Amino acid sequence: ETSIEDWHWVVNIDLFGVIHGIKAFAPDMIARGEPGHFVNTSSVGGLLATGPGNAPYNVSKFGVVALSEVLYLELKEAGKPIGVSVLCPGIVPTKLRENSNRMRPSGVPVASRTIEAHMKPMPASAVANLVLDGILRDRFWLLTHPADYRPTIERRCWKSCKLLFSFDLNFRVTPRTGATGVCSRPNARPGSPRGRHEGHDDLRRRKGQEGRH
């Protein structure tokens, strides 16, 4: 039931806002050749669908995560001293919903979110400290509430990986224990947020070698 106007409004802000920021700053940062860092703001809604009525938001925030992963890989592949982090905040008290209600093209209020008892909001100042620490440590994933969301994210990732790779019964897929919401194949190449996976040619060669033993 979301109008096309609302779709454009959300995607243009939440996804294209990040795209425009990268396009504006990346060329000069790369040309200078100096160390730098991108911090792209996604959401826990970029890792998990957050419920009915949030499709444009989830699509945009998932897009920010994918964009950040690709940016990370491209900068590392090019040997540039520029880091990338993606911030996926949970509940942070701000006036975002109130401001969104005033600006939404359709005029339909943004749905309020129920805060469960175990979910403790994180102050914006604490999020700022988390981001600064992430930049200094060159961390890709910045999550504000890992204890609240990690089990759900890992379950989702595990189910998705089993579905995606079920065609290859000899290919094990295990959750990576060192990062929230990420799955990796056993031969994932280090230096990537998710790791680089074997291509089809590599997979065929490996199977052929196994058959000769």
Side-chain angles (χ1 to χ4, degrees), residues 7-24:
W7 268 97
H8 282 296
W9 177 63
V10 174
V11 173
N12 283 338
I13 294 173
D14 288 347
L15 179 55
F16 273 91
V18 180
I19 293 172
H20 289 312
I22 294 170
K23 295 289 287 184

Side-chain angles (χ1 to χ4, degrees), residues 11-150:
V11 173
N12 283 338
I13 294 173
D14 288 347
L15 179 55
F16 273 91
V18 180
I19 293 172
H20 289 312
I22 294 170
K23 295 289 287 184
F25 290 100
D28 188 53
M29 292 172 67
I30 292 172
R32 287 202 307 266
E34 299 174 357
H37 205 96
F38 282 98
V39 178
N40 297 331
T41 301
S42 179
S43 166
V44 69
L47 303 171
L48 297 168
T50 53
N54 287 325
Y57 181 79
N58 285 134
V59 168
S60 300
K61 294 303 186 178
F62 269 79
V64 172
V65 170
L67 175 64
S68 301
E69 290 179 328
V70 173
L71 179 64
Y72 176 98
L73 292 171
E74 290 182 346
L75 289 171
K76 293 301 181 186
E77 190 75 20
K80 304 302 179 183
I82 301 172
V84 179
S85 298
V86 59
L87 173 63
C88 299
I91 300 171
V92 180
T94 68
K95 293 187 179 294
L96 176 63
R97 293 184 185 277
E98 293 90 331
N99 293 334
S100 297
N101 286 337
R102 291 190 293 104
M103 301 176 65
R104 192 171 185 175
S106 66
V108 178
V110 176
S112 61
R113 181 173 184 180
T114 301
I115 299 178
E116 299 178 16
H118 70 280
M119 295 182 178
K120 297 181 179 179
M122 177 179 284
S125 59
V127 178
N129 290 332
L130 175 74
V131 171
L132 178 58
D133 182 70
I135 294 172
L136 295 175
R137 296 174 183 269
D138 196 23
R139 293 175 54 201
F140 182 80
W141 296 103
L142 304 179
L143 275 72
T144 60
H145 298 73
D148 289 341
Y149 299 114
R150 178 167 185 156

Side-chain angles (χ1 to χ4, degrees), residues 96-207:
L96 176 63
R97 293 184 185 277
E98 293 90 331
N99 293 334
S100 297
N101 286 337
R102 291 190 293 104
M103 301 176 65
R104 192 171 185 175
S106 66
V108 178
V110 176
S112 61
R113 181 173 184 180
T114 301
I115 299 178
E116 299 178 16
H118 70 280
M119 295 182 178
K120 297 181 179 179
M122 177 179 284
S125 59
V127 178
N129 290 332
L130 175 74
V131 171
L132 178 58
D133 182 70
I135 294 172
L136 295 175
R137 296 174 183 269
D138 196 23
R139 293 175 54 201
F140 182 80
W141 296 103
L142 304 179
L143 275 72
T144 60
H145 298 73
D148 289 341
Y149 299 114
R150 178 167 185 156
T152 305
I153 293 170
E154 287 185 339
R155 282 197 300 271
R156 174 197 172 96
C157 181
W158 177 235
K159 290 178 181 178
S160 297
C161 286
K162 286 201 297 184
L163 176 64
L164 287 171
F165 305 125
S166 61
F167 64 88
D168 181 6
L169 299 179
N170 296 319
F171 207 68
R172 294 179 295 105
V173 181
T174 57
R176 180 189 296 174
T177 57
T180 300
V182 180
C183 282
S184 64
R185 294 182 177 178
N187 294 329
R189 174 177 140 185
S192 160
R194 288 186 175 175
R196 290 244 179 125
H197 310 320
E198 286 181 308
H200 293 298
D201 291 339
D202 295 329
L203 189 57
R204 281 195 292 267
R205 281 196 296 270
R206 183 169 61 81
K207 284 185 174 180

